[in-house]
């Protein structure tokens, strides 16, 4: 198979296991490319890509831009704070105006869940969802699974615990879909108030005790509390949250086994993870960032084909 089954990458929910495997094998090749002295290939010459970011981002925006430049695409960037969105323009008008400048692919981050899906139905361009509210963040799900595969050589049967604010996390949802499609076992862990009620429909284990989750898993993916999406208090105090769900070196050492520690970033050091864990040999946080570029090159390359 050399083609994706989809025109757009809107979420992992909408792609197949074969799609994911094709993206991974393509990313393997691009990972070799970005580790060569000459990191650039001409694959997307004559393709124009617009990165539309309606929400803050560091890693994801830079990672997409680097991926595009390493494929030799022409790139335009747009962020909501400096655009006509603040003058009352609709999303479709904004994007159609950009497309009138002959853009082929739109990479979009947006605070509203479903924004990328909506756009894909109304504009003539390939859409890549770079995170839409608490819905999905497909390239993060892909790069996380790719990083586990790289570290452990497989995903089938691997036990992954996703720990923290599951309720507001698009990273958790995309990880769950991706890992389940590839045969991994998934557990979510956090306070009851931060575990969504629909989670049982996704066929994952639920655990509220972090130590038990850590004892069960091969990989722990630690998530940030998404304070910007919380309108009410979901736990009594940050101090109490840290006591129950903050991962430190002492807890890690007490496990008597090696587990892999992941984090999508941005890290809140001293909250969900302490510095000695984030910077330890167990952590693959920076490998995740490196793999992010290769995964995004693969996605853009396959969608443009
Ligand atoms: C995540 C995001 O924005 O969804 N970060 C990322 O893309 N690397 C997670 C987060 O914001 O906590």
């Amino acid at each position: 198979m050399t083609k994706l089954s989809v025109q757009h990458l809107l979420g992992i929910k909408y792609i197949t296991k074969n799609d994911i495997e094709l993206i991974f094998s393509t990313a393997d090749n691009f990972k070799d490319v970005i580790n060569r002295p000459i990191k650039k290939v001409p694959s997307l010459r004559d393709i124009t890509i617009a990165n539309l970011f309606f929400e803050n981002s560091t890693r994801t925006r830079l990672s997409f831009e680097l991926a595009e430049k390493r494929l030799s695409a022409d790139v335009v960037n747009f962020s909501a704070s400096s655009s006509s969105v603040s003058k009352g323009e609709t999303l479709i008008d904004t994007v159609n105006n950009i497309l009138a400048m002959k853009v082929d692919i739109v990479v979009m981050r947006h605070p509203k869940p479903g924004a990328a899906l909506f756009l894909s139905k109304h504009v003539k361009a390939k859409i890549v969802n770079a995170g839409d509210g608490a819905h999905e963040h497909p390239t993060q799900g892909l790069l996380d699974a790719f990083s586990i595969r790289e570290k452990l050589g497989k995903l089938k049967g691997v036990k992954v615990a996703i720990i923290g604010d599951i309720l507001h996390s698009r990273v958790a949802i995309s990880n769950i879909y991706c890992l389940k499609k590839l045969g991994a076992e998934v557990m979510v862990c956090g306070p009851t108030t931060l575990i969504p009620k629909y989670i049982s429909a996704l066929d994952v284990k639920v655990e509220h005790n972090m130590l038990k989750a850590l004892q069960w898993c091969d990989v722990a993916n630690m998530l940030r509390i998404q304070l910007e999406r919380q309108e009410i208090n979901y736990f009594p105090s940050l101090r109490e949250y840290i006591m129950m769900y903050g991962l430190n070196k002492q807890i890690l050492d007490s496990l008597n086994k090696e587990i892999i520690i992941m984090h999508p970033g941005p890290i809140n050091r001293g909250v969900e993870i302490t510095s000695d864990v984030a910077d330890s040999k167990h952590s693959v946080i920076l490998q995740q960032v490196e793999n992010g570029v290769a995964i995004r090159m693969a996605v853009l390359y396959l969608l443009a084909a």
Side-chain angles (χ1 to χ4, degrees), residues 65-226:
E65 196 174 335
L66 265 181
E68 292 152 5
K69 289 186 168 158
R70 295 204 162 144
L71 291 167
S72 307
D74 290 322
V75 179
V76 286
N77 288 304
F78 160 102
S79 68
S81 54
S82 57
S83 74
S84 289
V85 174
S86 52
K87 297 182 187 168
E89 189 170 67
T90 68
L91 179 61
I92 294 178
D93 281 340
T94 302
V95 176
N96 272 331
N97 274 279
I98 294 166
L99 294 184
M101 302 172 208
K102 307 280 177 251
V103 166
D104 305 291
I105 301 178
V106 172
V107 174
M108 183 174 75
R109 168 164 291 192
H110 199 282
K112 295 278 187 269
L117 182 74
F118 173 77
L119 205 59
S120 72
K121 294 196 169 137
H122 290 95
V123 304
K124 278 202 183 64
K126 308 245 166 112
I127 309 293
V128 180
N129 180 6
D132 58 336
H135 176 224
E136 279 224 37
H137 188 353
T139 54
Q140 184 73 43
L142 289 165
L143 77 90
D144 287 345
F146 183 83
S147 302
I148 298 172
R149 164 186 175 270
E150 175 177 81
K151 203 78 193 154
L152 298 177
K154 59 170 187 178
L155 279 153
K156 200 167 171 29
V158 171
K159 293 178 174 155
V160 183
I162 306 173
I163 301 172
D165 179 359
I166 312 298
L167 182 63
H168 301 95
S169 176
R170 53 192 174 212
V171 174
I173 300 304
S174 291
N175 261 271
I176 291 170
Y177 281 125
C178 195
L179 293 166
K180 298 284 308 177
K181 286 185 184 189
L182 298 170
E185 285 185 57
V186 184
M187 174 184 279
V188 294
C189 174
T192 316
T193 49
L194 289 178
I195 306 282
K197 292 202 173 63
Y198 60 75
I199 203 79
S200 53
L202 299 180
D203 189 27
V204 298
K205 295 181 170 45
V206 178
E207 175 59 68
H208 300 294
N209 181 317
M210 185 174 72
L211 189 59
K212 286 192 182 153
L214 294 171
Q215 280 160 345
W216 172 83
C217 74
D218 305 307
V219 179
N221 197 348
M222 305 302 299
L223 302 182
R224 183 176 68 90
I225 307 164
Q226 308 267 313

Side-chain angles (χ1 to χ4, degrees), residues 241-259:
Y241 182 85
I242 295 169
M243 279 169 63
M244 309 270 299
Y245 298 103
L247 179 57
N248 60 43
K249 192 75 183 11
Q250 207 183 340
I251 301 174
L252 203 56
D253 289 344
S254 76
L255 296 177
N256 287 323
K257 63 167 185 174
E258 299 247 319
I259 63 170

